[in-house]
């Protein structure tokens, strides 16, 4: 028996949880869930036509799930390794999971399930054995998100990757981002351990808020874990990868795992879907799919990766970056200017990039082809009317989740590669949006 919030993936015997969301109210689908074999439904109000014995009425369905998950953590005496940061959370989570699997049972959060709801669902649907280690990626898009998560899933070890200017629309400033991310450090008890990126000043500064121990990783002279500790050969792109490996090494180190064991585990890392994943493109081209999400720093890093690739032509498809607040216009102009330095062909997707391209054309006579949205751009690419990949082309696709640039990657992917196996957001639910 599991818990499900989606009638499209619900299995017979599952408990359906009706979530009141911004776009959909799960209570409208309770009858459908019961009809598909749900054993009962957790709801926040009575539902006409559904027998009372099939309903478990609670004040708040998300809080109810979080309470269930927290109870399971206490019962199993599981250790919580919490990860947050502006960039690199997901790959860092995967690296830490690989390392910890060498020493016992591990449950890791998956996909983009890094909210209180997503993490609660993961935990109530997982088999938590005695002293399972939980590797939980924790995300924040507004003030208080991480405090809510840490209230239910209190970290024993906290890992902070970095602090960048993302979610500024909701968090207000880089200082606001730092304060929100540092919740994972403040939540630690005296026996807790903070693993902090020593080379990022905003992250390093969190040490003053740590009641427990701290371990620095980075290239700084005072870092406890440094690049020379990493001997694994890892097939991941980008200079930032060393920080992911050091963060994972740091967690393994504080848990007493031998260095050789840690490096052996890291050597098994594979690229994550939508994160600088080097794939076969059409007609002998190479596709670097980085479509999962985007921020200014992440786009700049991806363009640096593109410039390092041997290619006859370098081609870039950039989608809008979201939630940048008053930095939005400047940030989109900056990435187009950097793209012009690193690519032979540039395509933009989204209204923000369209506006930035118009400005650069009027100010610098820099002409960049832009399209209003990714669905139409993908159709044009499929027809071959605007760009045809050639052998020797290296193509970068990057954009925020809301830009849905995986549609563009799908149109450029080799016919011999299954999109479902390598690209993000390929489920029926995502494809229907």
């Amino acid at each position: 028996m599991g818990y499900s919030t989606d009638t499209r993936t619900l299995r017979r015997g599952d408990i359906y949880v009706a979530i009141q969301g911004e776009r959909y109210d799960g209570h409208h689908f309770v009858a459908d869930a019961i009809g598909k074999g749900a054993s009962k439904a957790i709801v926040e109000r009575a539902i006409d036509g559904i027998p009372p014995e099939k309903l478990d009425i609670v004040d708040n369905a998300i809080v109810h799930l979080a309470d269930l998950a927290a109870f399971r953590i206490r019962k199993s005496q599981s250790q919580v390794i919490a990860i947050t940061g502006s960039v690199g959370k997901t790959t860092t989570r995967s690296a830490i999971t690989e390392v910890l699997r060498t020493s016992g049972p591990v449950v890791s959060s998956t996909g983009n399930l890094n909210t209180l709801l997503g993490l609660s669902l993961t935990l109530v649907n997982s088999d938590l054995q005695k002293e399972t280690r939980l590797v939980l990626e924790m995300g924040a898009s507004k003030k208080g998100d991480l405090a809510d998560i840490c209230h239910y899933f209190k970290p024993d070890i906290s890992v902070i990757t970095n602090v960048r200017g993302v979610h500024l629309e909701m968090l207000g400033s880089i200082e606001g981002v730092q304060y929100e991310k540092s919740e994972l450090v403040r939540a630690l008890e005296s026996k807790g351990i903070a693993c902090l990126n020593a080379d990022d000043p905003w992250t390093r500064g969190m040490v003053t808020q740590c009641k427990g121990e701290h371990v620095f990783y980075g290239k700084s002279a005072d870092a406890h874990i440094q690049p020379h500790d990493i001997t694994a050969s890892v097939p991941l792109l980008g200079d930032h990868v060393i920080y992911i490996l050091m963060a994972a090494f740091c967690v393994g180190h504080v848990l007493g795992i031998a260095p050789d064991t840690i490096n052996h585990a890291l050597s098994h890392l594979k690229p994550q879907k939508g994160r600088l994943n080097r794939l076969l493109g059409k007609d002998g081209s190479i596709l670097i799919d980085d479509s999962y999400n985007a921020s200014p720093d992440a786009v700049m890093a991806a363009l640096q990766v593109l410039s390092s690739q041997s290619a006859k032509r370098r081609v870039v498809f950039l989608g809008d970056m979201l939630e940048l607040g008053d930095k939005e216009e400047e940030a989109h102009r900056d990435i187009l200017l950097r793209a012009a330095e690193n690519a032979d062909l540039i395509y933009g997707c989204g209204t923000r990039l369209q506006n930035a391209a118009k400005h650069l054309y009027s100010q610098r006579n820099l002409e960049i082809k832009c399209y209003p949205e990714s669905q139409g751009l993908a159709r044009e690419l499929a027809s071959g009317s605007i760009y045809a990949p050639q052998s020797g082309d290296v193509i970068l696709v990057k954009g925020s989740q809301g830009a849905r640039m995986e549609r563009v990657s799908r149109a450029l992917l080799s016919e011999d590669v299954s999109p479902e196996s390598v690209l993000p957001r390929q489920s029926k639910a995502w494809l229907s949006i």
Side-chain angles (χ1 to χ4, degrees):
M1 178 186 70
Y3 292 79
S4 174
T5 60
D6 191 337
T7 57
R8 293 168 296 186
T9 56
L10 181 140
R11 299 166 301 180
R12 181 168 292 277
D14 280 352
I15 296 172
Y16 175 68
V17 186
I19 302 297
Q20 174 72 59
E22 293 181 4
R23 297 177 60 189
Y24 302 105
D25 183 353
H27 294 81
H28 296 156
F29 304 96
V30 171
D32 185 31
I34 298 298
K36 289 184 175 180
S39 57
K40 68 176 181 176
I42 295 172
V43 296
E44 295 173 4
R45 61 178 184 265
I47 307 295
D48 290 342
I50 304 299
E53 64 270 18
K54 286 287 188 179
L55 300 178
D56 187 357
I57 300 177
V58 299
D59 291 333
N60 185 301
I62 295 176
V63 168
H64 180 77
L65 276 181
D67 282 332
L68 288 175
F71 172 76
R72 290 192 176 190
I73 292 174
R74 292 192 298 272
K75 184 177 180 181
S76 64
Q77 298 180 329
S78 294
Q79 190 174 36
V80 175
I81 295 90
I83 304 151
T84 197
S86 298
V87 180
K89 296 186 295 293
T90 300
T91 309
T92 300
R93 180 199 73 207
S94 297
I96 292 171
T97 300
E98 285 290 342
V99 169
L100 298 192
R101 279 179 178 151
T102 64
S103 63
V106 179
V107 168
S108 175
S109 53
T110 58
N112 62 346
L113 299 178
N114 60 10
T115 63
L116 180 59
L117 172 59
L119 291 170
S120 299
L121 279 170
T122 296
L123 294 168
V124 297
N125 285 322
S126 297
D127 177 20
L128 302 189
Q129 302 173 40
K130 183 74 170 177
E131 297 182 348
T132 298
R133 284 172 173 154
L134 308 177
V135 183
L136 305 182
E137 175 186 336
M138 299 180 177
S141 59
K142 65 181 186 301
K143 295 177 182 178
D145 279 351
L146 291 177
D148 287 344
I149 295 173
C150 289
H151 172 74
Y152 293 97
F153 315 134
K154 197 169 187 65
D156 298 291
I157 298 173
S158 292
V159 181
I160 317 295
T161 62
N162 46 56
V163 173
R164 301 285 188 268
V166 298
H167 301 305
L168 294 178
E169 192 172 354
M170 295 295 185
L171 298 176
S173 64
I174 190 72
E175 290 83 4
V177 177
Q178 184 202 39
Y179 184 83
E180 182 65 24
K181 300 298 184 184
S182 62
E183 181 61 40
L184 266 68
V185 177
R186 291 191 296 276
L188 291 167
E189 299 289 354
S190 58
K191 293 182 180 180
I193 302 172
C195 297
L196 304 174
N197 181 345
D199 299 342
D200 180 79
W202 297 103
T203 303
R204 173 186 276 270
M206 295 179 190
V207 70
T208 60
Q209 302 178 57
C210 183
K211 297 186 288 289
E213 298 179 38
H214 74 274
V215 181
F216 283 140
Y217 65 89
K219 299 177 182 178
S220 299
D222 63 341
H224 305 90
I225 305 301
Q226 298 191 358
H228 64 75
D229 291 304
I230 308 301
T231 59
S233 178
V234 181
L236 303 180
L237 297 175
D239 294 339
H240 67 287
V241 170
I242 189 63
Y243 287 94
I244 291 167
L245 303 179
M246 286 190 290
F249 192 102
C250 192
V251 174
H253 169 74
V254 300
L255 290 174
I257 301 174
D260 287 349
T261 303
I262 296 172
N263 277 297
H264 181 71
L266 292 176
S267 69
H268 292 109
L269 273 179
K270 296 179 180 178
Q272 298 287 301
K273 291 180 179 180
R275 296 172 177 87
L276 289 174
N277 198 358
R278 198 172 190 269
L279 305 168
L280 290 176
K282 286 184 175 177
D283 298 319
S285 64
I286 296 298
L287 171 63
I288 299 176
D289 175 54
D290 201 27
S291 61
Y292 183 79
N293 214 341
S295 65
D297 285 337
V299 175
M300 293 299 190
L303 289 169
Q304 180 61 38
V305 168
L306 178 66
S307 70
S308 70
Q309 302 295 302
S310 177
K312 289 182 179 178
R313 293 190 304 179
R314 295 182 179 88
V315 185
V316 62
F317 290 84
L318 295 175
D320 278 355
M321 301 177 294
L322 308 181
E323 299 180 4
L324 296 181
D326 58 8
K327 301 290 185 182
E328 181 178 278
E329 292 184 13
E330 179 184 0
H332 284 86
R333 292 171 192 169
D334 286 348
I335 65 167
L336 286 179
L337 287 171
R338 181 63 63 85
E341 296 172 1
N342 290 274
D344 301 293
L345 297 173
I346 307 167
Y347 298 87
C349 182
T351 56
R352 296 164 180 80
L353 281 166
Q354 282 184 317
N355 292 334
K358 289 177 182 177
H359 175 84
L360 293 178
Y361 181 74
S362 64
Q363 296 293 315
R364 305 192 182 204
N365 202 32
L366 181 61
E367 187 169 1
I368 297 168
K369 298 177 182 177
C370 285
Y371 298 81
E373 44 80 29
S374 60
Q375 210 160 20
L377 175 55
R379 283 195 300 268
E380 295 286 338
L381 288 169
S383 70
S385 60
I386 60 170
Y387 166 70
Q390 299 174 9
S391 178
D393 284 0
V394 177
I395 310 162
L396 170 67
V397 180
K398 179 75 172 167
S400 282
Q401 177 175 298
R404 299 295 304 277
M405 293 300 285
E406 75 276 3
R407 294 166 173 159
V408 174
S409 291
R410 184 167 180 139
L412 296 168
L413 187 67
S414 168
E415 294 88 345
D416 296 329
V417 180
S418 164
E420 292 76 16
S421 67
V422 295
L423 298 180
R425 297 183 283 271
Q426 296 301 303
S427 67
K428 289 183 179 179
W430 273 108
L431 292 174
S432 67
I433 300 173

